[in-house]
Amino acid sequence: MNLERVSNEEKLGLCRKYYLGGFAFLPFLWLVNVVWFFQEAFIKPAYTEQLQIKAYVKWSGLGLAIWVAVLTTWITIYQHYRAQWGEVGDYLSFTIPLGIP
Amino acid sequence: MTTSDSEEDSYDERSALMSSETPPVPSYQPEQSDPDPSAQGPVLRRAKSSERGPGPEPELDEEEELTLKYGAKHVIMLFIPVTLCMVVVVATIKSIGFYTEKTNQRLIYTPFSEDEVSVGRRLLNSFLNSIVMISVIVVMTIFLVMLYKYRCYKFIHGWLILSSLMLLFWFSYLYLGELFKNYNLAMDFPTVGVLIWNFGAVGMICIHWKGPLQLQQAYLIIISALMALVFIKYLPEWSTWVILGAISIYDLVAVLSPKGPLRMLVETAQERNEPIFPALIYSSGMAWMVGMANPAEGGRQQSDAEAQEAGGSLEAEDSPDPPAGAQGACPSGEDQEEESGVKLGLGDFIFYSVLVGKAAATGGDWNTTLACFVAILIGLCLTLLLLAIFKKALPALPISIAFGLVFYFSTDYLVQPFMDNLATNQYYI
């Protein structure tokens, strides 16, 4: 859908729903929220709902940053220590590379 | 592995190509065209394009020129997603061996095996397979059209949601697994869980609810590619080619004949003025324009139109947006917004990709793949040309698939050995 054709209240509603939806373990939704509403929130000339949209975009961005940090940490730990964990490592693994211990 | 039949129906009625131009809108006064023809020209012409009936001095040359000019734009706008889909499929086929491995598993739609010794028997089995497959598709399509006619929207939506759920979650999970196995990477369940959950949930939101247009287009391309990969893997070789031919003929019949199910679907949707289900159709969503009598708006429209002329890509954000004033202050009674983009059914994407993917998997080398690719794009061009001329829903499969099949077999069996011989004997032409 094209944001230009939509009224400001609807934009706010959409931004808000995307923000709330992201709490269901959906950082991707927060990413989409940030990218999609970035222009609306920060670049466009001010209108009534813009403040709230800005707030939602900022909080989505923050949530996204936290998720990225957590995921990166976990992935690094997993990749590094997988072999040493033995059975637990295998249990956690979706795919196990061949030929590498 | 047997796949559920929910995906079968949901792609075949997608095999329709239609222009999404809505009925004519009143355009603004023609005297505005005089002062600044170069800048306001595109806008005026575009407003005029919406007129099919008598309008203020319809300049037929301009209208025809416009049709062809915008036809060209639409062609480009469809080239990009079709190309992307095919590129994804071919890249996967060439790099991940899983999709070209011989498997004895078959879909329940192709019950006859192709492990026969004699050529005749094998051919017979592939024809029988295609008959089974096409009849399944016909039954599903008619069922869907009946449901649509009798307004069982909830059932249809539930069905579509189930089928997109399966595509977005299950097939992408399998794909991701094969991808990691291929590149010998370790991956753990929690991360995979998060990835698939995100991919699938955002996909469902974008396709079935509201989301950015580009993301929706990207998801539709991805699910078409996934579906095509499933077909390439599980359809036996000869059956694939026969099925491709048969489904093109079916598409032709279903869309053009007066009692064809797809035609009825399109007409019913147009009668009721409803869009066809978003999960079945790829929309290029190009230009939005407002036909209004207000000269001030015309000025703003003109700059948008120029920006859009310069853009001309798949992005809806480049398109001329109705001036912000149109939403609030202006008389809403006279505004009509028009979306002039082109819609292509997802089934078309899928079958084009099946053709090219199968050519990549079983054909000689890149010559065959490229030849099929070019053939399909040429077919698509021609189909869009016909669309511009006839201005009603047309089947997108027949011409492209016909060209594709001809090019595949001729390249694989004629051109390829010819080129090899030339290269071996160092004879350059």
Side-chain angles (χ1 to χ4, degrees):
Chain A
M1 63 179 306
N2 197 348
L3 270 188
E4 309 296 338
R5 297 176 42 243
V6 167
S7 71
N8 290 337
E9 294 81 26
E10 277 186 55
K11 280 186 226 176
L12 178 63
L14 208 54
C15 192
R16 187 166 169 273
K17 287 195 184 125
Y18 268 64
Y19 170 66
L20 292 175
F23 281 107
F25 292 88
L26 289 172
F28 191 29
L29 204 57
W30 276 334
L31 177 66
V32 173
N33 204 13
V34 167
V35 170
W36 199 20
F37 283 98
F38 189 78
Q39 204 190 23
E40 287 292 324
F42 296 107
I43 302 190
K44 284 220 155 144
Y47 51 91
T48 12
E49 291 85 358
Q50 200 190 37
L51 267 176
Q52 289 171 287
I53 292 187
K54 241 190 231 184
Y56 284 131
V57 171
K58 283 188 192 156
W59 284 107
S60 298
L62 184 66
L64 179 67
I66 296 176
W67 261 99
V68 167
V70 164
L71 267 180
T72 321
T73 325
W74 164 248
I75 291 177
T76 329
I77 294 177
Y78 173 75
Q79 295 287 346
H80 202 61
Y81 291 112
R82 179 187 54 84
Q84 298 164 21
W85 281 347
E87 224 183 85
V88 175
D90 284 347
Y91 179 66
L92 275 177
S93 296
F94 172 52
T95 50
I96 303 179
L98 309 166
I100 307 170
Chain B
M1 164 186 121
T2 57
T3 57
S4 84
D5 51 6
S6 54
E7 85 259 11
E8 290 298 317
D9 69 288
S10 50
Y11 69 72
D12 37 70
E13 44 281 342
R14 295 170 181 172
S15 305
L17 170 66
M18 66 196 88
S19 157
S20 59
E21 290 187 15
T22 54
V25 300
S27 76
Y28 49 50
Q29 286 77 14
E31 45 268 25
Q32 291 168 17
S33 67
D34 300 331
D36 195 358
S38 61
Q40 279 190 335
V43 179
L44 178 65
R45 279 195 222 130
R46 192 172 312 141
K48 277 197 186 271
S49 81
S50 56
E51 294 171 18
R52 307 253 181 80
E57 287 107 31
E59 289 133 356
L60 288 176
D61 300 332
E62 272 195 47
E63 188 170 328
E64 277 171 18
E65 176 190 329
L66 172 66
T67 311
L68 290 177
K69 176 173 155 195
Y70 281 96
K73 214 165 225 150
H74 293 164
V75 167
I76 304 292
M77 273 165 35
L78 279 187
F79 267 16
I80 297 178
V82 171
T83 312
L84 275 176
C85 191
M86 291 198 265
V87 161
V88 168
V89 170
V90 170
T92 310
I93 296 274
K94 288 288 187 183
S95 59
I96 299 182
F98 174 72
Y99 289 101
T100 45
E101 276 166 14
K102 284 276 164 246
T103 171
N104 279 329
Q105 290 172 330
R106 279 193 305 276
L107 301 175
I108 53 171
Y109 308 111
T110 50
F112 298 94
S113 119
E114 279 198 11
D115 289 333
E116 304 291 333
V117 177
S118 74
V119 170
R121 182 102 199 138
R122 191 172 178 187
L123 202 57
L124 177 70
N125 277 354
S126 35
F127 271 99
L128 290 173
N129 273 337
S130 71
I131 291 177
V132 171
M133 183 90 158
I134 299 287
S135 14
V136 168
I137 291 176
V138 169
V139 163
M140 292 293 183
T141 317
I142 295 183
F143 186 45
L144 185 73
V145 172
M146 285 295 118
L147 285 178
Y148 190 66
K149 270 209 131 149
Y150 295 114
R151 299 180 190 261
C152 311
Y153 291 138
K154 286 210 188 296
F155 193 90
I156 296 180
H157 277 123
W159 198 359
L160 286 178
I161 287 180
L162 262 180
S163 103
S164 19
L165 265 176
M166 190 183 68
L167 272 173
L168 281 171
F169 286 101
W170 190 21
F171 285 163
S172 53
Y173 174 77
L174 293 176
Y175 181 81
L176 205 60
E178 289 308 318
L179 192 69
F180 286 131
K181 277 185 212 158
N182 197 50
Y183 291 109
N184 220 14
L185 297 171
M187 184 51 66
D188 54 310
F189 276 117
T191 315
V192 161
V194 169
L195 280 175
I196 298 288
W197 167 240
N198 272 275
F199 177 75
V202 177
M204 292 299 289
I205 292 175
C206 271
I207 296 177
H208 292 281
W209 190 54
K210 301 176 199 166
L213 183 68
Q214 283 141 298
L215 197 61
Q216 184 184 27
Q217 291 170 334
Y219 268 107
L220 289 174
I221 294 177
I222 292 175
I223 65 179
S224 307
L226 283 174
M227 194 69 223
L229 284 169
V230 167
F231 276 138
I232 294 175
K233 179 159 178 74
Y234 288 109
L235 286 179
E237 289 204 17
W238 290 18
S239 304
T240 313
W241 301 112
V242 180
I243 286 175
L244 276 174
I247 205 167
S248 313
I249 300 177
Y250 166 69
D251 197 23
L252 197 63
V253 165
V255 176
L256 291 181
S257 78
K259 280 298 170 193
L262 295 182
R263 181 168 170 158
M264 279 168 41
L265 185 70
V266 169
E267 280 176 359
T268 321
Q270 280 174 348
E271 262 171 49
R272 297 183 192 168
N273 237 352
E274 293 167 354
I276 305 208
F277 317 105
L280 300 179
I281 300 270
Y282 176 94
S283 159
S284 59
M286 188 178 81
W288 290 89
M289 1 178 258
V290 177
M292 288 171 48
N294 192 343
E297 306 304 329
R300 249 186 293 179
Q301 254 181 308
Q302 124 202 357
S303 56
D304 288 335
E306 283 168 19
Q308 196 262 333
E309 299 274 320
S313 65
L314 262 181
E315 295 153 13
E317 269 65 51
D318 286 343
S319 59
D321 313 315
Q327 292 162 0
C330 298
S332 53
E334 291 175 324
D335 295 0
Q336 285 186 45
E337 292 180 4
E338 233 184 75
E339 177 188 346
S340 71
V342 187
K343 296 194 199 310
L344 183 62
L346 283 195
D348 301 323
F349 278 89
I350 293 174
F351 284 112
Y352 293 162
S353 310
V354 167
L355 196 149
V356 177
K358 207 68 178 174
T362 60
D365 58 7
W366 287 101
N367 275 327
T368 321
T369 314
L370 281 176
C372 288
F373 172 68
V374 169
I376 288 183
L377 288 185
I378 294 178
L380 190 62
C381 269
L382 285 175
T383 314
L384 285 168
L385 190 67
L386 287 178
L387 182 70
I389 297 176
F390 288 114
K391 291 193 175 50
K392 57 178 209 171
L394 288 180
L397 280 183
I399 302 181
S400 292
I401 300 281
F403 279 6
L405 287 175
V406 164
F407 271 62
Y408 170 73
F409 285 112
S410 56
T411 315
D412 212 28
Y413 293 111
L414 297 175
V415 178
Q416 190 61 41
F418 179 57
M419 303 282 296
D420 284 343
N421 262 318
L422 285 183
T424 324
N425 295 320
Q426 295 283 298
Y427 191 75
Y428 295 103
I429 52 171

